[in-house]
Every structure is written in C-alpha cells, then in structure tokens.
C-alpha cells in the first residue's frame, strides 16, 4: 500500500478537466469526483505501482462559494455516485479548488472527507479500500502590465505541481496541485501528502 500511494499520476484528459473546471468558476470553488486505476511505471529507474487519475467529473449541482463548496442537491450527488461503478469506473476520491489560498487541506475539508470516507468504507467500487484521495487546486489570478504570449507552462515541485495558463496577453492563472490521502488510523482521521506526477507534460513540451 505504501508504494501505491507515493505517486498519483494525472492523465491528460483528467488534467484538462481539472484546469478548465477550476478556471470556469473562479473566484468560486469547484468540486467533483476523481476516478482512476492502478498502473505500473518506472520512475527514477525504479518500477513502481502508482495510481492514475483518469477521469475528473465536476459536480454541476454543487453550491459554489468563494471559500467553500458543498454538495448542493443531495439526490443529484447520489445519482452521480451510483453511476460511477455502473460505468465500471473506480472512485479514488474528489477534488476541489481554493481560490487565493494554499493547495492544502483545511480543518473543514478534513471534517467533510471524514464523513465521505465513512460512507465509502469497505465498498468495492472504490479502488483503494479505506483511503480517500483529495486533490486540492489553489488558483490565483495574474494581471500582466506587459503583454505575454498566450499558452501554458508547467513546473514540478517535490510533491506539488504548478501550472500557469495565460488566456489573453494580460491575464493568466496560476494553479497549484496538492494531493492527499486521507485515512483512519486507530479511530483518528489522518492525512499524508502524495506526489503529483504528470510525466506526459514533458512529452508535450518536446513536441
Ligand atoms: Zn478546501
């Protein structure tokens, strides 16, 4: 299990959905489900079992505020949740954005995830039993005095990762991705940060 949780890879389609849904509702928070699977991957010369985020689904019925986001329509939420295993997808957890603040979990986030973790406990439609993945995406607006070329760029950090998107010559967004596994340990809720791994970005830049 320890090896599996060290790296969380984000596939291209999933990544684009995370970026677009975070920018769309800025300066409010977005939220949605994350689905994925196991992969084998050689990282720094070592073969590892990793988890890949393959699909992100933003919840259209969520109530979005600048400092919080909630389920909104409980029945709609449950319909989506129940559809996930029917489509042969495995739930990894959820994602949400933090406009203007850090890509880390707040106390409120931990309380919410604790409840969600209890709901999914032991269910086989979850890829990793009793572990919940939460991706937190911080977003900040950038206003440029001088014109910049539109496009996007990427930077790796030891565990988090950062993306800058310039949507016009004077406006861009900085997005930082943080990944956390949340689990129960002796009845207490704990978190451990995982490494966000996006190797295909390098292929993209070498085109
Ligand atoms: Zn949060």
């Amino acid at each position: 299990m320890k090896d599996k949780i060290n790296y969380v890879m984000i596939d291209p389609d999933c990544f684009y959905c995370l970026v677009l849904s975070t920018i769309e509702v800025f300066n409010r928070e977005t939220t949605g489900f994350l689905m994925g699977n196991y992969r084998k991957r050689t990282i720094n010369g070592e073969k590892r079992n990793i988890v890949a985020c393959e699909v992100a689904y933003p919840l259209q019925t969520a109530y979005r505020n600048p400092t919080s986001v909630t389920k909104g329509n409980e029945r709609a939420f449950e319909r989506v949740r129940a559809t996930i295993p029917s489509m042969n997808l495995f739930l990894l957890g959820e994602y949400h954005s933090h406009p203007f603040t850090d890509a880390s979990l707040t106390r409120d986030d931990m309380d919410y995830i604790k409840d969600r973790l209890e709901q999914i406990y032991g269910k086989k439609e979850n890829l990793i039993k009793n572990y919940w993945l939460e991706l937190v995406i911080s977003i900040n607006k950038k206003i440029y005095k001088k014109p910049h070329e539109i496009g996007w760029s990427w930077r790796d950090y030891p565990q988090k990762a950062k993306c800058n998107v310039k949507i016009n010559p004077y406006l861009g967004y900085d997005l930082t991705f943080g990944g956390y596994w949340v689990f129960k340990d002796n009845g207490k809720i704990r978190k451990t940060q995982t490494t966000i791994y996006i190797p295909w970005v390098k292929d993209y830049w070498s085109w």
Side-chain angles (χ1 to χ4, degrees):
M1 182 63 206
K2 216 173 171 206
D3 188 39
K4 279 169 198 157
I5 63 172
N6 278 344
Y7 288 90
V8 169
M9 185 160 87
I10 306 178
D11 278 359
D13 289 353
C14 181
F15 171 78
Y16 291 125
C17 181
L18 294 172
V19 171
L20 292 169
S21 65
T22 298
I23 291 177
E24 182 196 357
V25 299
F26 180 82
N27 60 351
R28 291 168 191 264
E29 290 193 12
T30 184
T31 188
F33 289 104
L34 282 172
M35 283 72 75
N37 224 322
Y38 295 117
R39 301 258 181 92
K40 279 206 192 300
R41 189 99 198 175
T42 303
I43 302 172
N44 300 329
E46 226 179 289
K47 240 196 165 67
R48 294 173 188 271
N49 293 313
I50 63 162
V51 163
C53 295
E54 297 172 339
V55 180
Y57 179 74
L59 272 168
Q60 299 178 85
T61 47
Y63 287 143
R64 300 181 189 89
N65 295 298
T67 56
S68 69
V69 64
T70 52
K71 270 183 215 168
N73 185 329
E74 197 81 38
R75 281 195 296 178
F77 179 89
E78 181 49 32
R79 275 200 300 275
V80 180
R81 197 210 54 76
T83 305
I84 291 169
S86 309
M87 301 290 287
N88 300 323
L89 293 166
F90 291 107
L91 184 69
L92 289 170
E94 291 178 12
Y95 74 94
H96 73 284
S97 61
H98 279 177
F100 308 114
T101 57
D102 289 350
S104 45
L105 292 172
T106 64
R107 188 178 286 251
D108 282 351
D109 290 337
M110 289 295 282
D111 287 344
Y112 170 79
I113 296 165
K114 183 173 175 269
D115 292 345
R116 295 285 291 119
L117 196 56
E118 273 159 16
Q119 287 165 8
I120 66 158
Y121 239 72
K123 288 201 177 154
K124 54 175 194 285
E125 62 240 41
N126 310 303
L127 186 67
I128 300 180
K129 303 268 174 307
N130 309 333
Y131 276 71
W132 178 268
L133 176 67
E134 189 75 24
L135 284 189
V136 186
I137 307 162
S138 83
I139 174 166
N140 276 289
K141 192 174 175 177
K142 308 285 277 186
I143 307 278
Y144 307 111
K145 285 194 176 124
K146 289 180 184 163
H148 283 63
E149 205 174 316
I150 61 164
W152 66 286
S153 59
W154 179 262
R155 259 170 92 176
D156 271 333
Y157 286 91
Q159 289 194 289
K160 290 178 183 169
K162 198 168 177 173
C163 169
N164 171 271
V165 192
K166 295 178 180 74
I167 68 167
N168 76 46
Y170 299 95
L171 174 63
Y173 294 95
D174 274 339
L175 286 82
T176 304
F177 292 71
Y180 302 88
W181 289 104
V182 183
F183 55 97
K184 263 189 181 173
D185 180 28
N186 286 328
K188 281 196 170 163
I189 196 91
R190 293 192 194 280
K191 64 180 173 188
T192 175
Q193 194 173 349
T194 184
T195 302
I196 302 290
Y197 180 61
I198 313 193
W200 57 270
V201 172
K202 285 172 191 137
D203 301 339
Y204 174 90
W205 287 112
S206 65
W207 282 352

